[in-house]
Amino acid sequence: MSNMDISIRRKPQDGRTKVKYEDKEYDLRIATIPASYGEQMNIRILDQSQASASLQDLGLPEKLLTLLEEATSRPQGIILVTGPTGSGKSTTLYACLCKLNSPSKKILTVEDPIEFDIPGVNQVGVEPKTGLSFAAGLRSILRHDPDVVMVGEIRDEETASVALQAGMTGHLVFSTVHTNDSPSAITRLMDLGIEPFVISNALLCIVGQRLVRKICEKCKEPDPLTSQIIERIHPFLPQGSEQKTFWKGRRCEACQYTGYSDRIGIFEVLRITPSLRELIVPKVSALRLKQAAQQEGFEPMTQDGIRKALDGHTTIDEIFRVAPPEVGQVSEMLLSEPIDKEQGTFIKSQFVDGQFSAGAIRPKKILVVDDDDVFLRLVETILEAENYQIITALNGKEGLKLAIEEKPDLIITDLQMPEMDGITFVKKLKSQLSTRIIPTIMLTIRDDLSAEVKGLEAGADDYLVKPIESERLIVRVRRFFNSTLPAN
Ligand SMILES: [Zn+2]
């Protein structure tokens, strides 16, 4: 079983295996750890076809691609990729190595762990148990006199110092640094104790990147942005593009009601120019470096992101999530605007023209799902008299659509329905980020214990017995709004 021992349960284990799915081979990296409720397992799925992704496939804009390719054609120096975990750094590094891979070049890597196998490249995995650290591994592979070296990550002074020395002594070195943007990688190296002159001599360029979700092509539609968002992204818009359309996914079955499918990278490439070299002195700030680079044409990744949103690849919400435009001339009001974590969009300010808008005191919205039209009308009458706003659906499928679009505050659903029954409906609601927090009441028939259990197991928060009595319904509903007062 992935080279792991199933009889060992009290020690963390690591394993790997391959699976074939729809003619594609995937590598599975498996890690287990003993936790309070048994063993916890984490499986990373690595798509082997990603290993051979070319630089062109990554989504680097033409201009940045040229900068990066120029750097990779140098005989020596260091190229860094920065970004948080899961931003696609390794894919970029592998693409660079694949481009350089040829029988006439000796390429060696030290990785933790080896994510993809590249034919013709000697890859060494870091082994903390045997004392083979990044620094130690790097030292030993340098003795083999490689042309190109890749070190998985620079996170300590020793690795940084060996990597930069190698970059100044005839090797082309690739590595990653865990910083938010490319200018900060320079200050990080200084923080690790590397002399500024070493950095300025060895560094060729730094790539900064993030992954954003791509809009689902099946449900793509124009996204009318508020003037506040337009104002915020305005400094990044190419001239004349103010009137252009931005896009979003309406959410459909094909994208599992997320509005997104697949991912794409957004990038920035900081080239270490002669004038930037002069600026790399002790105590220089990342901001100062960035400003100087911008004067020479450096564009932060937000720029590439907004361009990709304008081209219809991703949404503005995604750019705000991973690489928000820096606050410059943004008004105070916008600063205080809360961001809805669930949706990643701006919540409309409730304070408008000196008074609270209707949003603050809007009636609670309840979605009732039942295939019995008469019953729906009854519930509607009872609850509307209590000042609740009622929307209805005749089956789970319709209910799911309304739950996503209307974002009700509470859902009441029947168990037996055509198309999609109550159990499936509740399970679907609870499996989606945007709907899982909506409390749900399941309607059951008197004395049907198994239905009650099934409903609660599926994720319903409460149940209510049919036929319904108005007082009981009202009490149950109010309970969810944390108040004994009628809603209004
Ligand atoms: Zn879709």
Side-chain angles (χ1 to χ4, degrees), residues 54 69 153 157 175 177 182 193 241 254 317 357 366 371 405 433 474:
S54 71
E69 282 184 331
E153 192 187 341
E157 189 198 344
S175 191
V177 180
S182 48
S241 61
D317 288 350
S357 71
I366 302 173
D371 56 331
E405 288 172 4
L433 205 60
I474 293 164

Side-chain angles (χ1 to χ4, degrees), residues 135-136 138-139 142 157-167 169 173 194:
L138 181 57
R139 275 215 178 85
L142 285 173
E157 189 198 344
E158 205 188 351
T159 314
S161 141
V162 183
L164 278 107
Q165 285 300 334
T169 52
V173 182
I194 307 298

Side-chain angles (χ1 to χ4, degrees), residues 14 47 57 61 88 111 125 138 144 153 212 250 265 298 313 350 357-358 388 398 478:
D14 294 312
D47 178 357
D57 295 339
E111 305 171 54
L138 181 57
H144 294 262
E153 192 187 341
V212 291
R250 198 181 51 249
F298 166 74
H313 297 304
Q350 294 188 329
S357 71
Y388 293 109
E398 218 177 280
R478 276 187 200 161

Side-chain angles (χ1 to χ4, degrees), residues 54-82:
S54 71
L55 277 176
Q56 280 87 347
D57 295 339
L58 297 178
L60 272 157
E62 204 60 46
K63 206 170 113 194
L64 302 189
L65 185 64
T66 313
L67 288 180
L68 183 56
E69 282 184 331
E70 193 209 44
T72 58
S73 66
R74 301 284 190 89
Q76 69 167 34
I78 181 160
I79 296 170
L80 293 175
V81 184
T82 72

Side-chain angles (χ1 to χ4, degrees), residues 216 218-219 251-252 254-255 259:
C216 167
K218 297 257 159 61
C219 61
R251 299 163 186 229
C252 69
C255 56

